[in-house]
Each structure stands twice: as structure tokens, then as C-alpha cells.
Amino acid sequence: MKTSQAEIIREYGPFEGSRNIGGVTYDGNRVWFAAGENLRALDPESGAELTTIDVAAHAGTAFDGRYIFQIAEDKIRKIDPETGTVVATIPAPGKGADSGMAWCEGSLWVGQYRDNCIHEIDPETGKILRTIESKRHVTGVTWVDGELWHATWQDDKSDIRRVDPRTGDVLERLDMPEGTGVSGLESDGADIFYAGGGGSGKVRAIRRPR
């Protein structure tokens, strides 16, 4: 397994009125983050906040190319980012114990914090299609270039790891600096991971290794 230190290349926030970041996604232009009482978007170039949607946003956030999916308590809401309208709601597989979330190839991938696993679920019904086990508490999930990456945060240590999507075996690991954790993870489709910073109230940009 290849290991290295995570390279943080930029920090955003903390943001007024938000004490915790629960999830992160990227729509190609804006970085969206779950800020507890609402869902917010920032410009990754300037760092400026762009918009807020008044919907509960406690954990994972994902973007399917048209809609945002947002976990709050035991539900996943499908939201039109242009209007803020909730167009559908499905049950979250962890019934409130869910963490990160990602979209890939027609499925949602939902991390389970204390259950140390990732569920692939049907985005229309919430039905669990399969499960990938992890050795640590899962706190974020993302796909990029056919690679499955997920974040962990346990015993005051956090990392971002690339795993074999068939077996869950760890192939590569980026260790976060001491005192920093990842709560929500998303790729920009190229060289950057966006990561929620939990109680720091920050969103961080981390270089994706090549």
C-alpha cells in the first residue's frame, strides 16, 4: 500500500453561522457544503460564498450532474440547486447514522460512520444494492476516474484512502496532518479533493496524488 502525507493547498472558512461542515460536493463551478441548518455554495477560485439553500444539511452531500442529494437525520433529499426546491425524499440507509455520500454511475454511495462501511443504494428508492466494508469509521466518499476514495476519522486521526471497490482493500492512503479531520469528501474530477473540516468549520482543498 502506498502512503503519503495529505497536501492541503487551500482552506476556506470558517463561515459565519456554521460551526460544523457535514458534507461536500462540487457541481463543476461551485463547492457546496452542508452547514447544518442550510446548504451553502462557494466559489473555489475566490472563496466567496455564492448562495444558500434553506434545507437541513447534517451529513453527506452529492451531485448527479443536475440535482444535489443531501443527508439530514434519517433522510436523503433530492434538491434542485437552481431553485432550492426539494423534488424527492428517500430513506437514508443508516437511519441517521450516515456520514459521507457520493454519486457514481447511477447510484448513490453512502458512508456509514460507526458501521465502518459504504452502501451503494438506489437513488430512487434508497434500497441497498451492495456494501463495501472498511476498517475504520467512514466520514466521506467520492469517485474519480473509476477510483473509489473514502475518508476516515477515528481516534483523533484522519486519512483519505483509495480502496478496491470490489474488496474494500486499501490501495493508497493520504494521512491528514495532526489536528485536522475530514467530514465529507468530493473530487473536482481532476487534481483536487474538497474536504469538510468538521468542527473547524472549514472546507479544505487537498491535492489528489497522480
Side-chain angles (χ1 to χ4, degrees):
M1 179 180 64
K2 180 179 179 181
T3 62
S4 59
Q5 193 73 17
E7 181 184 356
I8 297 172
I9 55 179
R10 186 166 180 178
E11 290 187 330
Y12 307 92
F15 304 93
E16 185 175 354
S18 176
R19 292 178 293 180
N20 188 74
I21 306 298
V24 181
T25 195
Y26 180 66
D27 68 4
N29 295 299
R30 299 167 290 187
V31 176
W32 292 84
F33 57 97
E37 298 303 313
N38 48 41
L39 180 63
R40 302 185 187 187
L42 64 83
D43 180 339
E45 293 299 323
S46 68
E49 281 198 67
L50 301 174
T51 189
T52 298
I53 296 175
D54 288 326
V55 62
H58 302 150
T61 312
F63 181 68
D64 71 352
R66 174 67 181 86
Y67 294 99
I68 291 176
F69 293 82
Q70 178 59 57
I71 296 173
E73 298 178 339
D74 61 350
K75 296 180 176 59
I76 300 174
R77 294 185 174 90
K78 183 178 180 180
I79 303 161
D80 184 333
E82 303 308 319
T83 65
T85 304
V86 176
V87 299
T89 301
I90 60 174
K95 300 178 176 59
D98 311 274
S99 52
M101 183 166 59
W103 174 271
C104 183
E105 297 181 349
S107 294
L108 286 169
W109 301 75
V110 185
Q112 302 296 294
Y113 181 64
R114 294 197 181 279
D115 286 345
N116 297 355
C117 67
I118 300 166
H119 294 310
E120 178 186 4
I121 69 168
D122 184 324
E124 299 297 327
T125 65
K127 178 183 177 182
I128 296 174
L129 304 176
R130 70 172 172 133
T131 298
I132 300 170
E133 303 292 336
S134 175
K135 301 293 186 186
R136 286 173 52 84
H137 294 344
V138 177
T139 57
V141 185
T142 191
W143 283 87
V144 57
D145 294 338
E147 298 177 350
L148 174 59
W149 292 78
H150 78 80
T152 80
W153 196 348
Q154 185 176 345
D155 301 328
D156 295 326
K157 294 182 178 179
S158 185
D159 61 51
I160 300 171
R161 48 185 60 191
R162 178 167 62 89
V163 301
D164 186 323
R166 298 166 300 171
T167 64
D169 292 343
V170 181
L171 305 175
E172 183 172 2
R173 192 185 74 217
L174 310 178
D175 293 328
M176 293 296 292
E178 185 176 349
T180 63
V182 176
S183 61
L185 183 69
E186 180 65 293
S187 165
D188 73 341
D191 300 326
I192 294 174
F193 291 124
Y194 293 108
S200 73
K202 296 181 179 181
V203 174
R204 297 185 172 97
I206 298 168
R207 193 178 307 282
R208 174 192 170 204
R210 294 286 198 170

